[in-house]
Amino acid sequence: MTVYFIVLALGLAFIYSLRDGLLVLQNRRDAARAARLENASADIIPQSEEYCKRFERAS
């Protein structure tokens, strides 16, 4: 019976440590994605004169 409780406790400890690790990984990815979105929003309108003076015909 004690072996059963020990195995159960180790299994629960493993599951919770795995969950914590996955949450850390998800938070890192979310932070990286948010940083990329902040940088991408600045590049929507090109600031170069070369692009401002050029007109292209849509066809």
Side-chain angles (χ1 to χ4, degrees):
M1 186 73 165
T2 44
V3 174
Y4 173 76
F5 286 125
I6 290 172
V7 170
L8 182 63
L10 289 175
L12 287 174
F14 173 73
I15 287 173
Y16 279 107
S17 64
L18 180 65
R19 182 186 133 238
D20 290 340
L22 290 174
L23 284 173
V24 168
L25 182 65
Q26 181 180 1
N27 288 337
R28 286 182 185 168
R29 287 183 177 175
D30 288 346
R33 183 176 293 137
R36 274 188 274 133
L37 287 176
E38 286 177 6
N39 290 340
S41 64
D43 296 335
I44 292 174
I45 301 173
Q47 299 296 321
S48 174
E49 272 188 50
E50 172 187 331
Y51 293 111
C52 294
K53 293 183 179 180
R54 186 176 68 189
F55 294 97
E56 294 182 8
R57 185 176 182 178
S59 54

